[in-house]
Amino acid sequence: MFKPTLLAAVTAAFFLTACDRREKTASVPAIQIHHDTAELATLIPEGAARTDKPFANSSGDFQFAVVGDRTGGLRPGVFARAMDQLNWLQPEFVLSVGDHIEGYKKDEAEIARQWDEVADLIDNLQMPYFHVVGNHDISNEIMRDYWRQRLGRDYYHFVYRNVLFLALNTEDPPTASNKKAALKKLDVSMEQYKRTVQLLQGNLDEAREFFAAEPKLGQIAEVLRGQDRVTISDAQLAYVQKALEENPRVRWTFVLMHKPAWKYESPEFEQLETMLESRPYTVLAGHYHYYEFQQRNGRDYIQLGTTGGSQKMQPQGPGTMDHLMWISMTDGGPQIANIEMAGLHDRRGPQSH
């Protein structure tokens, strides 16, 4: 961006004076040169028709976005459109809650092909993108090794403008899934499976009552719990503990994970919550492809919807949506908005397809 120098200002003033001498009838506008950009933000004419609220541009404010599951039943084109939409919105960075590829493979060539595909889409972003591990991303040790070679750590943290971000791995270590074979032995109908999945997404105490009344659903739930677990290693817990100890006075902490660990019987996650209890924090997860907000321990726990993942197995309600989460970090804490992708358009407005 061009910044006028003193010489440029003098030259401009001389030029305008010369023009004024040659042509007295010409109307020459005044030129104001500001060396401090803060002056421009407060250059408001007296009597301007405005309210007296302060500008929402505190030096500590920033905006970032979070995307939901891309896979677990990929719907082509949705995630690619999300990358375009994020460029329109211009967040400072983008976070994920996992499940970038379909995965569940041991063929390294196929694993690489799937990561190449999503990497090409993410490369269209004009700002940083932070990966979080999903069960489809790391479903075995081969995929975990590939993640580490290609992307780096599978759990990590960073601090931005005195806000701590913890990116956790709920597949630590990966757990092999034989869900299909186990369910086949139970002779499960699609409706029974869908109903059980929906119950497990809700309040666990209420779900137990349903399972007691309908034992078949309870059997399905046991299979799903056995195959769909949250695993957090002692090494990861020690890492989180150290990250928290090293950042005791951050103004907020965001915890990102794929599986909503608070919906699982996970002693490790309970330990993590104990570590967090003395600070303000927000937890963001995905996995179930259905948006759900709840408060736990006086904090916000949010399960994101999809950004391209399947919506077939989810309850068809208001939480069934492709969306981008938009978070504005303010002095008073985060302001969270959800933008449904179907309602977000560029400068051309809605287009027919």
Side-chain angles (χ1 to χ4, degrees), residues 244-291:
L244 294 173
E245 289 172 353
E246 291 176 348
N247 297 279
R249 288 181 290 277
V250 292
R251 55 190 175 128
W252 208 270
T253 298
F254 286 94
V255 182
L256 293 111
M257 64 187 69
H258 180 62
K259 291 176 180 174
W262 63 94
K263 293 186 174 182
Y264 292 74
E265 295 177 355
S266 172
E268 295 78 14
F269 183 68
E270 291 176 5
Q271 290 181 51
L272 194 146
E273 287 182 304
T274 300
M275 297 178 195
L276 291 163
E277 63 185 3
S278 64
R279 62 177 63 209
Y281 67 87
T282 301
V283 181
L284 305 175
H287 188 54
Y288 281 130
H289 297 201
Y290 190 85
Y291 190 91

Side-chain angles (χ1 to χ4, degrees), residues 109-120:
E110 176 58 20
I111 295 168
R113 185 198 67 77
Q114 292 187 20
W115 275 113
D116 287 345
E117 179 183 83
V118 71
D120 286 344

Side-chain angles (χ1 to χ4, degrees), residues 7-63:
L7 176 61
V10 171
T11 303
F14 177 81
F15 176 75
L16 289 173
T17 302
C19 290
D20 188 50
R21 285 173 181 167
R22 287 198 306 270
E23 189 172 338
K24 292 289 184 181
T25 58
S27 176
V28 180
I31 291 180
Q32 294 182 334
I33 297 174
H34 296 275
H35 294 283
D36 184 356
T37 55
E39 292 180 41
L40 296 175
T42 57
L43 190 63
I44 304 169
E46 185 178 352
R50 63 179 290 269
T51 64
D52 61 359
K53 298 291 178 66
F55 283 95
N57 63 343
S58 169
S59 60
D61 290 0
F62 64 94
Q63 290 75 39

Side-chain angles (χ1 to χ4, degrees), residues 52-199:
D52 61 359
K53 298 291 178 66
F55 283 95
N57 63 343
S58 169
S59 60
D61 290 0
F62 64 94
Q63 290 75 39
F64 62 95
V66 190
V67 296
D69 293 34
R70 172 181 178 259
T71 54
L74 170 69
R75 287 175 292 124
V78 179
F79 191 81
R81 179 168 173 77
M83 299 300 100
D84 289 337
Q85 292 177 329
L86 288 166
N87 284 336
W88 306 341
L89 292 169
Q90 287 291 297
E92 296 188 33
F93 54 89
V94 179
L95 302 170
S96 72
V97 291
D99 273 7
H100 299 84
I101 65 173
E102 289 295 347
Y104 285 93
K105 302 290 182 182
K106 293 186 176 180
D107 182 343
E108 289 194 23
E110 176 58 20
I111 295 168
R113 185 198 67 77
Q114 292 187 20
W115 275 113
D116 287 345
E117 179 183 83
V118 71
D120 286 344
L121 301 177
I122 294 173
D123 191 50
N124 290 327
L125 278 181
Q126 298 166 359
M127 64 288 299
Y129 181 96
F130 291 86
H131 294 80
V132 169
V133 169
N135 57 297
H136 283 263
D137 302 323
I138 294 181
S139 52
N140 55 58
E141 289 296 341
I142 293 174
M143 294 187 70
R144 183 174 190 166
D145 289 343
Y146 187 87
W147 171 290
R148 290 173 171 175
Q149 292 168 14
R150 179 165 185 153
L151 298 171
R153 298 189 60 95
D154 48 276
Y155 55 84
Y156 58 92
H157 76 284
F158 67 96
V159 176
Y160 186 81
R161 296 196 184 181
N162 202 32
V163 174
L164 174 63
F165 294 84
L166 290 169
L168 305 186
N169 179 3
T170 52
E171 309 299 315
D172 179 26
T175 54
S177 177
N178 295 312
K179 181 172 63 178
K180 289 183 179 179
L183 290 174
K184 188 174 182 180
K185 291 180 181 179
L186 290 178
D187 190 23
V188 174
S189 72
M190 181 57 68
E191 288 305 313
Q192 288 173 321
Y193 175 76
K194 288 177 65 174
R195 179 61 176 149
T196 306
V197 170
Q198 292 167 12
L199 287 169

